[in-house]
Amino acid sequence: MATRTAARTRAAPRRDAAAAAARPADAPPSAALSRAQLLELYYWMRLTRTLEERLVALYRQTKVVGGLFRSLGQEADAVGSCFALERRDVMSPLIRNLGAMLVKGATPVEVLKQYMAKADSPTRGRELNIHFGDVGDPATTRGFVGQISPLGDMVPVMAGVTLSFKLRGEDRVGLVYVGDGATSTGAFHEGINFAAVQGCPLVVVVENNGYAYSTPTSKQTRAERFVDKAAGYGAPGERADGNDVLAVYDVTKRAVDRARAGGGVTLVELVTYRRKGHAEHDNQSYVPAGEIERWAAENDPIDRYAARLTGEFGFAQDELDATDARVRDEVDAATDVAEASPFPEPLDCLTGVYADPASAQPLWFREGILNAVERNERAEGWGTYRASEVTRTEAKIAGGND
Ligand SMILES: Cc1ncc(C[n+]2csc(CCOP(=O)(O)OP(=O)(O)O)c2C)c(N)n1
């Protein structure tokens, strides 16, 4: 579909040799982006926002069955940073990095199905928000690691992932997103310290969005700037305006290039603002009056970039409007597909969750169902439970143990 086509475009950036030769040596990496890539950045941010708006509508209709976590106002930080990666690289997103997941190849259909807990969603209805991944062979997977809830814990995981790249001599880089709140965890310190000492090709992106749930950043740390923490690990650090998508791209691309060239860990601080609560159910009563409205009016990342595209870069408003229309059509089409998808069969929830199927069975179920579940999963691999097995299992339960 269109998003995948765009992802492929991004993975193989076109460089204009003549323009490159004319560029000064200290030009920022974004100076090398083609017109198509500049418009693509706008597309990913617009897709992120429109898809999230659709998810809110579905949430209000109770069709999104779990929590919903918005990245409103943070689209530039997710999109601009992930755009600096290549397809073979691996990224570990947070709940607020939908834009990064889309850039890395997640499709609106699978995101919608996942949030709606459909049977053919990435986690087959076992998980009720955005925690899913696609990682493994770079030839066949898109390279995003499934998220986990404990804050900061993906930093040591990504230290391990990137250490494996280094030990195998693979030309791959990892990028892990953490919020300002996550920087106060032990896992964050241990992970980044280990990665720095080992020289892992890792970029640690700290999204400083002003709040960790309801805790303002000033109650989170005495440090003035998160980027200053890099010195404590002996790592370079760079800070950028997280609502300026090109500034985000530039700072991250430099960090990615450094990691790829053997320069180890870089800490990147992106200064942004979370305009929604922690999740859709959070009423933001802890936010001072006028703060959200001010960021919306003066510092919206999409408005700011649109103004640059039509001003500085000479795009016609029609080109932006056409992109908006394309995004709306894609999200409409994806919603139709997701809504038409079935919910999982109740018994299906017993498979593919635990490595040991026996521990997934309620006691009164075990004797009747265990053999069928085990047999099916070992023969077919995880995630292939078939309706025919359910029927046989039910018959078995009805008929007693064999
Ligand atoms: C170790 C740990 N402590 C507390 C929580 C509960 N919790 C979930 S999200 C959140 C706030 C996260 O804030 P931040 O890291 O700044 O990321 P943001 O949501 O702002 O992007 C908290 C406290 C958790 N998931 N893990």
Side-chain angles (χ1 to χ4, degrees):
M1 66 182 284
T3 51
R4 303 296 290 280
T5 309
R8 277 198 297 276
T9 310
R10 184 195 61 77
R14 290 196 303 273
R15 305 229 184 274
D16 181 309
R23 268 196 313 275
D26 60 352
S30 59
L33 293 175
S34 66
R35 280 181 68 78
Q37 288 174 315
L38 289 173
L39 193 59
E40 199 187 324
L41 282 167
Y42 176 81
Y43 164 83
W44 292 121
M45 288 200 287
R46 184 58 79 192
L47 181 62
T48 307
R49 184 164 297 181
T50 303
L51 184 55
E52 287 189 356
E53 284 167 353
R54 179 59 50 86
L55 284 163
V56 170
L58 294 164
Y59 178 86
R60 290 186 181 152
Q61 296 169 43
T62 67
K63 290 176 178 171
V64 165
V65 290
L68 178 59
F69 305 87
R70 291 286 306 271
S71 66
L72 183 65
Q74 290 186 225
E75 294 90 346
D77 99 48
V79 166
S81 50
C82 196
F83 205 75
L85 295 177
E86 301 294 334
R87 162 138 195 166
R88 65 187 181 281
D89 298 331
V90 170
M91 175 278 283
S92 165
L94 293 171
I95 45 176
R96 253 171 270 293
N97 296 122
L98 177 63
M101 292 177 73
L102 293 170
V103 169
K104 205 76 177 73
T107 66
V109 171
E110 64 186 337
V111 170
L112 286 157
K113 283 182 180 175
Q114 173 71 15
Y115 263 116
M116 296 166 86
K118 293 300 181 99
D120 54 352
S121 68
T123 60
R124 296 164 57 222
R126 280 152 183 70
E127 201 279 335
L128 305 181
N129 61 55
I130 194 72
H131 298 142
F132 72 93
D134 182 21
V135 72
D137 181 350
T140 52
T141 61
R142 293 163 288 179
F144 48 91
V145 183
Q147 321 168 358
I148 52 172
S149 287
L151 300 175
D153 278 16
M154 291 313 288
V155 182
V157 169
M158 288 300 287
V161 167
T162 51
L163 182 61
S164 81
F165 295 161
K166 185 180 169 189
L167 294 178
R168 292 183 193 140
E170 293 176 355
D171 177 27
R172 300 169 75 189
V173 168
L175 186 154
V176 57
Y177 292 96
V178 288
D180 40 273
T183 65
S184 298
T185 64
F188 170 82
H189 295 295
E190 292 171 30
I192 192 169
N193 184 64
F194 178 84
V197 168
Q198 296 291 334
C200 299
L202 179 65
V203 180
V204 180
V205 174
V206 178
E207 299 181 295
N208 177 1
N209 65 5
Y211 292 91
Y213 213 128
S214 52
T215 305
T217 309
S218 58
K219 293 199 172 152
Q220 185 75 238
T221 177
R222 291 293 300 274
E224 290 283 314
R225 312 178 324 152
F226 288 97
V227 68
D228 295 336
K229 297 189 180 224
Y233 306 108
E238 287 206 59
R239 189 179 208 237
D241 176 349
N243 285 15
D244 175 347
V245 71
L246 294 183
V248 171
Y249 173 78
D250 284 334
V251 80
T252 318
K253 182 75 166 72
R254 279 194 291 269
V256 167
D257 287 350
R258 185 180 301 121
R260 214 182 292 288
V265 174
T266 299
L267 187 152
V268 168
E269 177 183 358
L270 301 176
V271 183
T272 181
Y273 185 77
R274 192 193 76 198
R275 279 176 23 211
K276 288 300 232 175
H278 171 64
E280 207 52 26
H281 55 256
D282 170 4
N283 68 9
Q284 296 174 285
S285 53
Y286 48 85
V287 178
E291 189 179 271
I292 298 166
E293 294 73 14
R294 205 165 47 249
W295 277 85
E298 298 167 10
N299 212 336
D300 180 81
I302 301 182
D303 291 351
R304 279 179 61 183
Y305 190 51
R308 279 186 83 178
L309 286 177
T310 51
E312 186 182 336
F313 295 106
F315 281 81
Q317 184 59 46
D318 282 357
E319 291 176 272
L320 273 52
D321 293 346
T323 306
D324 294 353
R326 176 185 154 196
V327 163
R328 274 196 305 276
D329 289 349
E330 283 180 12
V331 172
D332 284 348
T335 307
D336 289 345
V337 173
E339 290 227 56
S341 289
F343 286 104
E345 294 294 327
L347 272 180
D348 189 49
C349 71
L350 296 174
T351 66
V353 175
Y354 295 94
D356 170 15
S359 58
Q361 312 302 322
L363 272 176
W364 64 89
F365 239 48
R366 282 186 193 162
E367 290 188 357
I369 200 170
L370 184 58
N371 290 341
V373 172
E374 269 191 324
R375 188 178 62 245
N376 182 53
E377 294 207 325
R378 290 195 178 146
E380 308 279 338
W382 302 114
T384 54
Y385 195 53
R386 289 172 303 186
S388 59
E389 291 291 337
V390 176
T391 312
R392 255 185 278 161
T393 304
E394 281 167 349
K396 194 182 282 186
I397 291 168
N401 299 334
D402 59 2

